[in-house]
Amino acid sequence: RVFNAAQDDEMLREMLSWRAMVVPILRSTGVNTKLMPALQHGVPIVLTSVAAAPLAIPSDSTVALVADSADAFVTQLLRVASDSSLWLTLSSGSRTHWQMLLDEDAAAVDMRALTNLVCQIGSDERLAQGELYRPLPRPLAPKHASTSLEIELLLPRKRPPQSRC
């Protein structure tokens, strides 16, 4: 079924009618957002390890069933279709994993504020007034360098580089 034109409530009703969501992704370039609603609403998922990796879905059958071959997909789908106890475990595990992702995201917001503070320390005017403390020294730029990238590339590396944001 194509969901492009489906309303959110219609899509949710459809998804909740599934015994499992099947995600046979072989290559990934990031988070597979299609997994989010299934995790959120407790729809068991059978997916490849490639699809599981960006969301840190474990391969221990507590959140989803992992299958990396056609035969493994058939086996895992038969398991989730025939074992109500497994279905309940996966449904509960996916909702728990969804909550963990939300909790981590909330922590990321807290960390973002700290990171922004550290990374925005760069205003010479604010530093000169003593309002801010720079955790790492400003690099000395060669006279012929005009951009921060040129500065970074021209500086000798005698020790491992430290982040200057």
Side-chain angles (χ1 to χ4, degrees):
R1 175 163 181 175
V2 177
F3 288 115
N4 293 349
Q7 297 296 330
D8 287 343
D9 58 340
E10 181 183 350
M11 186 173 92
L12 179 59
R13 272 194 309 278
E14 173 70 25
M15 185 180 60
L16 291 175
S17 73
W18 301 343
R19 188 70 176 163
M21 180 179 200
V22 180
V23 187
I25 294 175
L26 300 176
R27 289 181 184 77
S28 179
T29 59
V31 174
N32 300 306
T33 55
K34 64 181 72 52
L35 294 172
M36 301 296 201
L39 289 169
Q40 180 182 8
H41 296 289
V43 175
I45 304 168
V46 178
L47 73 173
T48 60
S49 55
V50 170
L55 291 173
I57 295 173
S59 60
D60 62 2
S61 301
T62 58
V63 175
L65 297 178
V66 177
D68 286 320
S69 70
D71 288 342
F73 262 97
V74 169
T75 299
Q76 298 293 42
L77 286 168
L78 288 172
R79 284 181 63 206
V80 77
S82 63
D83 186 340
S84 295
S85 177
L86 176 61
W87 190 93
L88 289 171
T89 297
L90 295 173
S91 179
S92 174
S94 64
R95 280 192 294 264
T96 300
H97 194 73
W98 170 256
Q99 189 59 51
M100 182 202 69
L101 293 172
L102 290 179
D103 293 346
E104 286 178 0
D105 193 46
V109 170
D110 293 341
M111 289 303 296
R112 187 176 306 121
L114 177 61
T115 304
N116 286 342
L117 174 65
V118 171
C119 291
Q120 289 176 3
I121 295 175
S123 165
D124 290 338
E125 181 180 310
R126 290 178 71 193
L127 284 171
Q129 294 173 359
E131 293 177 31
L132 299 173
Y133 168 73
R134 179 185 297 283
L136 294 173
R138 182 180 294 283
L140 298 174
K143 291 182 180 178
H144 59 279
S146 61
T147 67
S148 60
L149 177 59
E150 288 176 328
I151 292 168
E152 289 294 318
L153 293 174
L154 292 171
L155 286 174
R157 299 276 184 202
K158 294 181 182 173
R159 57 191 168 136
Q162 294 178 336
S163 171
R164 292 187 194 96
C165 301

